[in-house]
């Protein structure tokens, strides 16, 4: 009964769509956008806000996301950066009110500036921790002013290259301290948006602390952050960790931590985070099979953390890219809904786990079985036949039957 629009909650990311210029780790920008005047001035930033909201309105997406430093230029001091951000935030607010476009989440860029070369909350330099805290304080306040529904923490450079000179325990303790301070401040100002960790392995440090959903969840539970932070799962981050997106989504979901997604494509042929727009209906169907199990992502959404290829420098391709991604997710949602409606996967699961609904299986699950009773049962029975239903080939082809 839910509309696709309400279910998918598409979001346009500010950093790639309005700040991207085609740079990649191997080369300079390939595109000069017509809304750039060649300066990183507040004036240019204000004009860019008009363009951004015109684009998102034409696209018909309900949400956007930003880092503090994508929307407003970094100044010569923290004070100047905060003032710049205030000026842009006022304009963002005006445009949100005018268009009805809402903020899915805000975040702080704690990885681009050289001060963060050793990380932010996990930096070896206490001043850098303090700077990051001040920056996140401001970013949460701005997100709150703009009615942001979530606030994201991507680890950036929270990790290390070499253990010989790294105090891992201390760095993790600092990261936890940082998160508790952020939570305390959010409470203090009345920000009720959901905090989200965004797991990512390998980039940019060799060992990222937020490697995958499992590493994040262990951190969350070790440091008493269970009620504070959920997860923002990104496709290309999942594949870099050696997982599939579906695995990461389900791992987070079953434990109650699936908050939102950064949608892109894990390009299996490249070893880095290429942030390509999703176009694969099999991928989006698998995502939606999991997302529908929890009835959607709200207050999270489907944010396109994706950029056009550097060879695709015509601005019109920004529309093609987003439309393709939205279309892929809408189709995936419809296919997943049809599969769920037929109950075909439920039947497979029910059949495969049938032995747990009665007899010894039931006793194990309800806690009445002991090692003694299980041994007695097995000694009498003699053998456990390897006969659970698999139907792997049938399952591998299931999506094909619904396309
Ligand atoms: C890095 C990312 C980031 C995060 C962003 C918000 C620039 O690979 O995916 O995008 O999504 O920092 O947390
Ligand atoms: Mg991301
Ligand atoms: Mg990414």
């Amino acid at each position: 009964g839910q509309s696709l629009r309400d279910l998918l909650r598409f979001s346009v990311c500010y950093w790639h769509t309005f700040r991207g210029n085609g740079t990649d780790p191997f080369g300079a920008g390939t595109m000069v956008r017509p809304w750039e005047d060649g300066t990183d001035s507040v004036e240019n930033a204000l004009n860019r806000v008009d363009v951004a909201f015109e684009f998102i309105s034409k696209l018909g997406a309900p949400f956007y996301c930003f880092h503090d430093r994508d929307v407003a230029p970094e100044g010569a001091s923290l004070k100047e950066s905060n003032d710049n951000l205030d000026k842009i935030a006022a304009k963002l607010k005006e445009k949100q009110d005018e268009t009805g476009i809402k903020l899915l989440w805000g975040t702080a860029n704690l990885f681009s500036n050289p001060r963060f070369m050793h990380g932010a909350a996990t930096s070896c330099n206490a001043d850098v921790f303090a700077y990051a805290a001040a920056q996140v304080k401001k970013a949460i306040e701005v997100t709150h002013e703009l009615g942001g529904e979530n606030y994201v923490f991507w680890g950036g450079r929270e990790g290390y290259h070499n253990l010989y000179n790294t105090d891992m325990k201390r760095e993790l303790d600092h990261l936890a301290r940082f998160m508790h301070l952020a939570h305390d401040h959010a409470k203090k100002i009345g920000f009720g948006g959901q905090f989200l960790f965004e797991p990512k392995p390998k980039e940019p440090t060799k060992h990222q602390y937020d490697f995958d959903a499992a590493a994040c969840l262990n951190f969350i539970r070790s440091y008493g952050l269970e009620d504070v932070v959920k997860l923002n799962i990104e496709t290309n981050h999942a594949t870099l960790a050696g997982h599939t997106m579906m695995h990461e989504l389900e791992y987070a979901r079953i434990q109650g931590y699936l908050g939102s997604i950064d949608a892109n494509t894990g390009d299996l042929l490249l070893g880095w985070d290429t942030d390509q727009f999703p176009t694969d209906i099999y991928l989006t169907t698998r995502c939606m099979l999991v997302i529908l199990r929890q009835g959607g992502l709200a207050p999270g959404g489907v944010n396109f953390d994706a950029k056009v290829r550097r060879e695709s420098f015509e601005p019109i391709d920004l529309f093609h890219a987003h439309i393709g991604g939205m279309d892929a997710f809408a189709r995936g949602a419809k296919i997943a809904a049809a599969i769920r409606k037929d109950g075909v996967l439920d039947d497979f699961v029910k059949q495969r786990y049938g032995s747990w609904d009665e007899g010894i299986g039931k006793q194990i699950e309800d806690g009445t079985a002991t090692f003694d009773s299980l041994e007695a049962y097995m000694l009498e029975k003699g053998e456990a036949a390897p006969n659970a239903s698999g139907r792997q080939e049938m399952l591998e082809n299931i999506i094909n039957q619904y396309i």
Side-chain angles (χ1 to χ4, degrees):
Q2 211 179 12
S3 75
L4 280 174
R5 189 181 165 85
D6 291 346
L7 171 68
L8 295 168
R9 296 166 59 84
F10 288 127
S11 159
V12 174
C13 83
Y14 212 93
W15 53 99
H16 289 314
T17 302
F18 308 115
R19 302 306 309 269
N21 68 355
T23 46
D24 73 8
F26 315 100
T30 55
M31 45 188 97
V32 180
R33 295 306 195 189
W35 54 87
E36 297 299 328
D37 67 9
T39 70
D40 192 20
S41 64
V42 171
E43 197 195 348
N44 197 161
L46 288 167
N47 292 336
R48 209 185 280 123
V49 172
D50 285 318
V51 172
F53 278 78
E54 187 186 339
F55 177 86
I56 304 167
S57 300
K58 283 183 174 160
L59 189 66
F63 293 99
Y64 75 112
C65 304
F66 65 79
H67 301 80
D68 49 1
R69 302 296 182 252
D70 317 322
V71 287
E74 176 144 6
S77 64
L78 179 65
K79 167 95 175 59
E80 202 180 305
S81 298
N82 286 352
D83 291 347
N84 290 347
L85 187 51
D86 281 334
K87 286 181 198 142
I88 305 301
K91 173 107 188 213
L92 290 169
K93 179 92 176 65
E94 205 180 286
K95 297 304 281 187
Q96 285 185 200
D97 292 345
E98 189 184 310
T99 59
I101 293 164
K102 295 193 282 187
L103 181 61
L104 186 67
W105 47 262
T107 189
N109 180 324
L110 305 179
F111 45 91
S112 294
N113 191 287
R115 79 175 69 85
F116 298 121
M117 68 168 74
H118 298 284
T122 66
S123 176
C124 46
N125 181 344
D127 272 7
V128 174
F129 182 108
Y131 190 101
Q135 196 182 326
V136 166
K137 174 181 186 289
K138 183 70 184 171
I140 293 173
E141 287 166 3
V142 166
T143 300
H144 182 42
E145 280 160 32
L146 295 173
E149 301 190 18
N150 306 266
Y151 183 90
V152 165
F153 294 82
W154 167 54
R157 297 178 195 276
E158 310 292 26
Y160 67 91
H161 291 294
N162 196 316
L163 263 188
Y164 297 158
N165 66 355
T166 298
D167 188 338
M168 187 196 276
K169 170 78 165 67
R170 203 170 191 182
E171 293 197 357
L172 290 171
D173 287 351
H174 291 168
L175 184 56
R177 173 70 50 86
F178 194 92
M179 292 305 298
H180 281 289
L181 290 170
H183 178 56
D184 289 347
H185 188 68
K187 271 199 303 203
K188 185 175 150 196
I189 65 171
F191 175 63
Q194 176 174 263
F195 276 8
L196 299 165
F197 273 149
E198 183 175 317
K200 179 179 181 180
K202 296 178 183 172
E203 294 177 13
T205 77
K206 199 191 286 184
H207 299 275
Q208 292 283 128
Y209 291 133
D210 296 344
F211 193 94
D212 59 2
C216 286
L217 278 173
N218 189 57
F219 179 85
I220 287 167
R221 290 172 175 143
S222 302
Y223 286 103
L225 292 162
E226 290 90 337
D227 300 325
V228 174
V229 50
K230 291 190 176 178
L231 302 180
N232 183 38
I233 304 290
E234 176 165 326
T235 322
N236 210 156
H237 299 182
T239 55
L240 279 174
H243 301 304
T244 60
M245 181 63 165
M246 191 181 191
H247 167 89
E248 285 289 86
L249 292 171
E250 181 71 352
Y251 190 87
R253 184 193 72 83
I254 58 170
Q255 300 173 79
Y257 284 87
L258 174 54
S260 198
I261 74 169
D262 268 9
N264 52 36
T265 288
D267 187 339
L268 298 175
L269 296 178
L270 291 178
W272 51 293
D273 189 16
T274 55
D275 289 337
Q276 298 183 56
F277 276 86
T279 51
D280 179 346
I281 295 171
Y282 294 90
L283 167 68
T284 57
T285 300
R286 287 193 285 267
C287 290
M288 293 312 300
L289 279 169
V290 178
I291 290 167
L292 286 172
R293 282 179 197 149
Q294 74 166 27
L297 292 166
V302 176
N303 173 51
F304 291 111
D305 188 357
K307 60 189 176 198
V308 295
R309 299 303 86 196
R310 70 202 304 267
E311 301 88 343
S312 202
F313 41 79
E314 299 87 347
I316 188 70
D317 278 355
L318 287 170
F319 281 102
H320 289 292
H322 283 87
I323 291 165
M326 291 163 81
D327 191 50
F329 262 91
R331 287 170 190 240
K334 285 184 169 178
I335 295 165
I339 292 173
R340 284 169 55 79
K341 188 155 173 270
D342 283 359
V344 41
L345 295 183
D346 300 336
D347 288 347
F348 275 110
V349 174
K350 201 171 172 357
Q351 190 189 349
R352 188 154 179 261
Y353 291 88
S355 65
W356 294 90
D357 296 336
E358 59 194 12
I360 199 72
K362 199 150 181 285
Q363 289 166 30
I364 296 168
E365 285 198 345
D366 69 19
T368 55
T370 64
F371 263 22
D372 286 336
S373 73
L374 293 171
E375 183 195 45
Y377 167 81
M378 216 61 247
L379 284 172
E380 193 186 333
K381 192 156 188 182
E383 184 53 275
N387 62 350
S389 170
R391 305 295 312 273
Q392 295 303 320
E393 275 59 38
M394 160 71 187
L395 284 168
E396 289 296 334
N397 285 301
I398 203 89
I399 294 175
N400 292 339
Q401 296 167 35
Y402 286 83
I403 283 180

